[in-house]
Amino acid sequence: MTGCAQHSQRLSGLAVFFSVFLPFALGHYLSSLLRTVNAVLAPNLVQSLSLSSGQLGLLTSAFFFSFALVQLPVGIALDRYGPRKVQLVLMLLAGAGALMFAHGDSFAELVLARAVIGFGLGGCFMSAVKSISGWIAPERLPSVHGYLIAVGGLGAASATLPVRLALQFTDWRGLFTMLGALAACIGLLIWLVTPRPAASAPKAPAPTVQSILDVYRDPAFRKTISLMVVPHMVFFGIQGLWMGRWLSDVAHFSDAAVAYLLYLSMAAVIFGAIAVGMLTEWAGRRGVVPLDVAAVGIGLFLLVQVGIVLNFKPGFQTLSVMFTLVGTITGIEYAIVARSMPPSLTGRAATCLNLLIFIGAFLVQAGFGQVLGWWNANVLHQYPAMAYQTAFGILVLLQLPGLVLYVWRRGRAPAAAGMQERREGAVA
């Protein structure tokens, strides 16, 4: 019996919530807040440093790049040392990065600080997944992961109107100082309240490069990412920065209106994540596999982006909210992967998935800015609608093959099964 199983027999569900779920969920909350805060701070940063669209994209996406680089080392550390120890170190590092950002005076210094923040927050979600997976039944994973993603949505929502309100009392430097202190406090909270592993629990064997490659070679893993990983990249890369700029540049909403719409969008993540978890469990009881649910959601996600490409002006507000509401379907891939992998690989599986997602999010966020740079900005640093239509059109074309491939495979499966039955009948 594992240490987690021993603990789960002694702790009530309420105790597990307060001592396991909540501390790690707070880390994910802060990670989502810092990932998306530049969507609101973009005008302040552009004004302070006179940034181009390419520089703004690079500055913000540095978080994703460093986040991706740290995934495999953190995944190995999680399986070897456990989430409690790993998160204490990482959250203190994130706090140091936030303080560096608060005191940065140049573009290069802020890029470096943003990267350090990404390093420190790189283990938040997968630490939570690793901890939670050891305390609940596998069939409960989709809904519990949905709750975790909802907490992340709350963090993203906190990066909108609450941040704009905070800027009335301090500047962006003071804000990052407070966020740095919060990161350190969360790390200490995890260390103090999370149950220690049982002394008799065996330490996980040292992982190898082969064990990492085994994750990527797993058929279920590859089938999942072929459908979901590119939409997940787009979801993270766009909602953390460019959705707000699109509302400002193309829809010509004021900064206050943009902050309000971003708040509604990020709040929609909370309801969307919970709904996705509940819908997936409901569909599972009726024989529908989670990947089929995900395929329907990704189809809707692409339709929302097509509306943006077509520059559907009457629906600008609705499209901005629907992008994040429907985009939460991409988060279900963590639960799908966690259910398909052995427990000893859950940490590495989550990090392998994160490695792909966040490298892709970095490329999406930075590349989107480069595409906008093909056009000249006006005196207000705004880019024309055609620039955004082109950038979003490229993203749609990148996501479409995965959905087409899944539908094609889904259609072939019944035909292959029928052919096999006919062969068995002939043999009989």
Side-chain angles (χ1 to χ4, degrees):
M1 181 178 294
T2 65
C4 285
Q6 290 173 343
H7 279 297
S8 63
Q9 289 182 348
R10 296 197 301 267
L11 294 179
S12 66
L14 192 62
V16 170
F17 173 81
F18 282 106
S19 64
V20 180
F21 178 86
L22 187 59
F24 286 99
L26 287 174
H28 182 50
Y29 166 89
L30 184 64
S31 177
S32 298
L33 192 161
L34 281 165
R35 188 183 73 232
T36 56
V37 71
N38 279 11
V40 170
L41 294 181
N44 305 75
L45 297 174
V46 168
Q47 184 176 7
S48 298
L49 301 173
S50 299
L51 301 178
S52 66
S53 64
Q55 288 176 317
L56 179 62
L58 181 60
L59 169 61
T60 305
S61 64
F63 176 97
F64 289 122
F65 184 71
S66 61
F67 201 106
L69 289 181
V70 80
Q71 293 307 297
L72 293 183
V74 168
I76 292 172
L78 286 175
D79 286 336
R80 181 67 173 168
Y81 302 108
R84 180 173 172 270
K85 292 180 180 179
V86 172
Q87 273 302 90
L88 174 63
V89 175
L90 290 181
M91 294 305 291
L92 293 177
L93 180 62
L99 292 178
M100 291 171 58
F101 198 94
H103 293 88
D105 292 321
S106 68
F107 171 69
E109 290 175 352
L110 292 185
V111 169
L112 176 61
R114 180 84 173 161
V116 172
I117 294 173
F119 278 123
L121 297 176
C124 288
F125 186 81
M126 48 189 172
S127 291
V129 169
K130 179 71 174 177
S131 293
I132 294 168
S133 297
W135 293 86
I136 65 171
E139 60 270 16
R140 290 283 296 156
L141 281 177
S143 60
V144 176
H145 283 191
Y147 300 145
L148 181 61
I149 294 172
V151 173
L154 182 61
S158 299
T160 55
L161 277 182
V163 164
R164 183 171 174 81
L165 292 174
L167 292 177
Q168 297 179 8
F169 304 95
T170 184
D171 59 5
W172 60 270
R173 296 183 185 276
L175 176 67
F176 269 88
T177 299
M178 291 185 287
L179 292 175
L182 180 59
C185 289
I186 292 175
L188 292 173
L189 178 66
I190 290 172
W191 176 258
L192 292 173
V193 307
T194 302
R196 291 173 172 81
S200 60
K203 181 177 288 188
T208 62
V209 174
Q210 183 63 43
S211 68
I212 298 296
L213 294 177
D214 286 342
V215 173
Y216 286 109
R217 290 170 180 165
D218 183 85
F221 184 85
R222 295 176 66 175
K223 186 177 181 180
T224 301
I225 65 174
S226 66
L227 170 67
M228 304 189 68
V229 74
V230 178
H232 209 152
M233 296 171 182
V234 171
F235 176 64
F236 274 178
I238 298 302
Q239 61 98 10
L241 176 63
W242 295 117
M243 185 55 65
R245 300 304 295 168
W246 174 74
L247 288 170
S248 176
D249 293 4
V250 179
H252 301 296
F253 291 125
S254 66
D255 288 346
V258 169
Y260 177 69
L261 286 171
L262 289 177
Y263 173 77
L264 291 180
S265 299
M266 302 309 177
V269 173
I270 302 172
F271 301 102
I274 295 174
V276 166
M278 296 175 63
L279 177 62
T280 303
E281 288 192 3
W282 176 84
R285 290 193 295 269
R286 286 155 179 80
V288 180
V289 297
L291 212 53
D292 285 345
V293 177
V296 174
I298 288 172
L300 295 175
F301 187 51
L302 283 172
L303 286 178
V304 172
Q305 295 172 67
V306 169
I308 296 175
V309 172
L310 296 177
N311 205 34
F312 183 62
K313 294 182 179 180
F316 279 165
Q317 297 179 1
T318 302
L319 289 172
S320 67
V321 175
M322 290 299 294
F323 182 89
T324 49
L325 177 63
V326 180
T328 56
I329 191 68
T330 58
I332 198 179
E333 66 182 321
Y334 288 102
I336 295 173
V337 168
R339 293 179 65 181
S340 67
M341 306 297 293
S344 61
L345 290 178
T346 55
R348 269 161 281 179
T351 54
C352 288
L353 188 56
N354 272 344
L355 179 64
L356 295 174
I357 292 170
F358 285 97
I359 285 180
F362 162 76
L363 294 174
V364 167
Q365 200 166 79
F368 199 97
Q370 295 298 323
V371 172
L372 295 185
W374 296 346
W375 284 262
N376 293 322
N378 61 22
V379 294
L380 298 177
H381 303 286
Q382 295 174 331
Y383 290 87
M386 181 58 68
Y388 285 89
Q389 289 176 276
T390 302
F392 274 106
I394 292 173
L395 295 181
V396 169
L397 292 177
L398 290 175
Q399 296 167 82
L400 194 56
L403 181 60
V404 172
L405 178 62
Y406 185 80
V407 173
W408 178 72
R409 286 175 175 170
R410 190 73 173 80
R412 286 190 61 192
M419 184 177 296
Q420 181 64 27
E421 289 179 359
R422 288 192 294 272
R423 288 176 179 175
E424 292 176 353
V427 172

